[in-house]
Structures are given as structure tokens and as C-alpha cells.
Amino acid sequence: KPHPSAILYGHNSAVTCLALSQELDLVVSGSSEGSVLIHTLKLGTYVRTIIPHLPGPDGEHLCVKFVGISSNGNIVITGKLPSKNAPSGSHSVIYLYTVNGKMIKRARLEDDTGALFLDGERVVLGGLNGGLEIRDTNYINLKHKLRLKSGVLAISKDPRNQHLFVTTADGKLLILTSTAKPFVK
């Protein structure tokens, strides 16, 4: 019979996302109440909790949508924050933290994140309204930006770093490439 080899605890609400790094022996999980937990992968030992946005006076908090672990050990977190100024009542943000829990940078995103792909020194964000952004994992600086006709649902790349595969809400699989150099390196 299959059974869990470990059960990791610490979230007080639904776990919304997960990222693993065998090389760094880390498991990072995010939740709907806004916390991000770090455990070791091999033993499941608790390492630390990151709370990117402290709850406000009305109890508003970050809902974590995606987490990722870069090859240099930085942790990328995206989510939605309540906002009275946004037409939808919320806006999307991206955070970059060290594995030790120190915030490096925070940036507001123009589009709600529908997909995140992290590889090496790049993070690719796909927006539900068709935005596609490539940012570095050192300071989450914007490197490239595209506008697609439909929302992005999933992102991947080929092993040779020459093509970026993007699925969209209108049923398309887009294959993006850069002839000058690898698109995602």
C-alpha cells in the first residue's frame, strides 16, 4: 500500500503551491493565508516561515499563488494583495527572498499571474490577461516583456534552452524562440 514517507506541517490554510530543489535539499510551499514555509527535502525538517505581507488592520493578507527556488537559492513568491485602488479589488505582486528569509525586492505586477516557470537565473511569469515577462532571479528585474492575445496557463522550455513553450486560455500552444541566443538561459 502506498503511504506518505513524511508529512510536512505548518500551514493554517490550504497549500496553494509547491516548489522543490533536489540540489539545495529544499521544499518551499505557499498558502492562501499568506505564509511560505521552507522544509528540507530529504528529512522534512522545518527551516523557516516567510510572511511576505503582514495582515492589515482588516485582516487582508497575501494569497500566495506560486513559489519557485532559483539555482542560487533565492525564493520567488507571487500572489495577490487586496487593493482598494485596483478595479478588481486586488493587485498582483512578486517577491524575492534569500533562503535565509531576507527580502531582496518586491515589485507590483501588471497582470495576475497564471503561470510561473523558474530555470536557473530566469523566472518567466505568464499573466491571465496575456502578459509574458522574463525577469532575473537576482533582483527580479524585468528583462523581456511580451503581450499575447490570451491568458497564459502553463510555461515550460526545451532541454537545450532554445524554445519556450506557452499554453494559453484560447487553446493554443505557442513555441517562442530567439534566433540570436537561447531564449531562457
Side-chain angles (χ1 to χ4, degrees):
K1 286 183 173 182
H3 63 281
S5 59
I7 299 174
L8 308 181
Y9 294 94
H11 289 294
N12 295 319
S13 65
V15 175
T16 56
C17 51
L18 179 72
L20 308 172
S21 171
Q22 278 189 307
E23 297 82 16
L24 299 173
D25 188 35
L26 293 177
V27 177
V28 177
S29 56
S31 70
S32 60
E33 96 270 356
S35 65
V36 174
L37 300 181
I38 304 172
H39 290 84
T40 62
L41 181 60
K42 290 178 186 163
L43 299 177
T45 305
Y46 169 80
V47 177
R48 78 181 26 83
T49 299
I50 297 172
I51 301 177
H53 180 81
L54 295 175
D58 296 330
E60 68 271 8
H61 60 274
L62 174 76
C63 179
V64 180
K65 289 194 68 175
F66 295 96
V67 292
I69 308 166
S70 71
S71 58
N72 63 8
N74 288 340
I75 297 172
V76 176
I77 304 164
T78 68
K80 291 184 78 161
L81 282 172
S83 173
K84 293 175 185 167
N85 299 332
S88 66
S90 64
H91 67 269
S92 293
V93 290
I94 183 170
Y95 296 88
L96 184 67
Y97 277 83
T98 67
V99 73
N100 294 321
K102 180 182 177 197
M103 185 169 68
I104 298 171
K105 191 171 179 184
R106 170 191 162 172
R108 188 173 178 156
L109 298 172
E110 293 179 15
D111 200 349
D112 290 342
T113 308
L116 180 142
F117 180 78
L118 201 132
D119 183 36
E121 297 178 4
R122 300 282 184 261
V123 59
V124 184
L125 299 166
L128 293 175
N129 294 315
L132 189 69
E133 296 182 356
I134 299 176
R135 295 174 175 263
D136 67 54
T137 57
N138 292 320
Y139 298 101
I140 57 174
N141 293 326
L142 184 63
K143 298 297 183 183
H144 302 283
K145 185 175 180 179
L146 297 170
R147 176 59 61 186
L148 305 176
K149 292 180 181 179
S150 185
V152 176
L153 302 178
I155 304 168
S156 191
K157 69 152 186 77
D158 74 289
R160 292 177 31 212
N161 294 326
Q162 293 179 335
H163 301 91
L164 192 64
F165 298 85
V166 178
T167 64
T168 59
D170 60 0
K172 292 184 173 80
L173 169 61
L174 306 175
I175 303 171
L176 306 174
T177 187
S178 171
T179 55
K181 57 185 176 183
F183 195 75
V184 178
K185 187 173 181 181

